[in-house]
Amino acid sequence: NAGVMQNPRHLVRRRGQEARLRCSPVKGHSHVYWYRQLPEEGLKFMVYLQKENIIDESGMPKERFSAEFPKEGPSILRIQQVVRGDSAAYFCASSPGGLTYGYTFGSGTRLTVV
Amino acid sequence: QKEVEQNSGPLSVPEGAIASLNCTYSDRVSQSFFWYRQYSGKSPELIMSIYSNGDKEDGRFTAQLNKASQYVSLLIRDSQPSDSATYLCAVMPPGAGSYQLTFGKGTKLSVIP
């Protein structure tokens, strides 16, 4: 029973390149959430998706960031033209939906922009 | 603006003692509450959930909820050095189809051998 799978675990990009982060939720979970965490900081909500729909993207910068959760395949968080301030740990979580279910988190992707 | 507040710590307790972690939230109609543990460099791990006023026990962990006062706490009995981690409080507000958690910034716990 695989948990949330994120890849890559570590990603190094030069300023101006694109970063593409992937997340496969727990089998049977239809709700996916992306969070960003800076060192010694809390989890900052970015976006909440269900299959083929963005439910809430209020935490995601309107420029350079996009997210999708297609009918088939993993959820993708895409950061275009990365800058040093994008360096952080990006966590994906999934849940089956419902008030009594917490999230299952993936191991995260550590993005470093050089 | 929904907010979840935690004392950032660090909270230091001796091994074997009870560690008490507190959390307050601003949205008084929130219904579901969760505690996560996060070791340094790792991802958050769900350890407790609570939905009704009162206490809920699971092994050495007890979650306490008081909706009237808008606080939730986590007690760790017989603290061990392996409990040293950051503990995140998370709150789920009500709302049809919205299952988005708001996290506090976490309390760093250090259990001293």
Side-chain angles (χ1 to χ4, degrees):
Chain A
N1 185 15
V4 176
M5 305 300 291
Q6 283 189 255
N7 64 81
R9 292 291 301 275
H10 300 276
L11 182 60
V12 179
R13 284 288 177 266
R14 295 186 184 279
R15 281 177 294 172
Q17 290 184 320
E18 177 180 288
R20 191 172 289 226
L21 288 60
R22 285 177 289 277
C23 169
S24 296
V26 172
K27 188 175 181 181
H29 285 190
S30 58
H31 300 251
V32 166
Y33 315 83
W34 286 92
Y35 285 78
R36 179 164 67 177
Q37 189 175 42
L38 294 168
E40 305 301 320
E41 293 282 329
L43 289 163
K44 183 171 182 294
F45 167 76
M46 297 184 73
V47 61
Y48 164 25
L49 310 106
Q50 294 182 30
K51 282 286 187 183
E52 300 184 276
N53 284 306
I54 296 175
I55 306 302
D56 184 349
E57 57 182 347
S58 60
M60 196 162 65
K62 298 223 180 313
E63 296 182 359
R64 302 190 299 107
F65 287 74
S66 62
E68 62 177 7
F69 187 17
K71 186 177 180 181
E72 301 291 338
S75 175
I76 306 287
L77 179 67
R78 186 178 173 211
I79 312 172
Q80 295 179 291
Q81 299 174 332
V82 295
V83 300
R84 286 219 172 112
D86 296 331
S87 296
Y90 292 83
F91 290 101
C92 170
S94 73
S95 80
L99 293 173
T100 59
Y101 295 97
Y103 297 171
T104 301
F105 278 88
S107 299
T109 294
R110 272 75 177 170
L111 173 65
T112 302
V113 180
V114 297
Chain B
Q1 175 96 10
K2 303 179 182 67
E3 293 185 352
V4 178
E5 300 287 342
Q6 295 182 255
N7 188 324
S8 62
L11 173 66
S12 293
V13 299
E15 184 175 354
I18 296 175
S20 178
L21 304 156
N22 300 312
C23 170
T24 59
Y25 58 95
S26 62
D27 190 341
R28 66 182 304 110
V29 296
S30 297
Q31 294 194 7
S32 304
F33 307 86
F34 305 87
W35 282 99
Y36 285 81
R37 177 177 61 199
Q38 186 175 26
Y39 292 112
S40 181
K42 302 295 185 182
S43 60
E45 172 193 10
L46 179 64
I47 53 173
M48 288 287 289
S49 59
I50 187 166
Y51 318 109
S52 304
N53 279 327
D55 295 1
K56 179 181 177 183
E57 188 175 316
D58 184 0
R60 295 186 297 113
F61 298 99
T62 299
Q64 299 175 317
L65 175 61
N66 184 324
K67 289 187 178 180
S69 301
Q70 294 175 239
Y71 86 78
V72 58
S73 62
L74 179 70
L75 301 178
I76 307 175
R77 288 182 300 282
D78 188 23
S79 296
Q80 301 297 308
S82 59
D83 295 325
S84 298
T86 296
Y87 289 80
L88 304 170
C89 173
V91 175
M92 184 181 293
S98 175
Y99 307 117
Q100 178 184 318
L101 288 177
T102 299
F103 285 84
K105 291 188 176 180
T107 297
K108 192 168 186 177
L109 173 67
S110 179
V111 180
I112 312 300

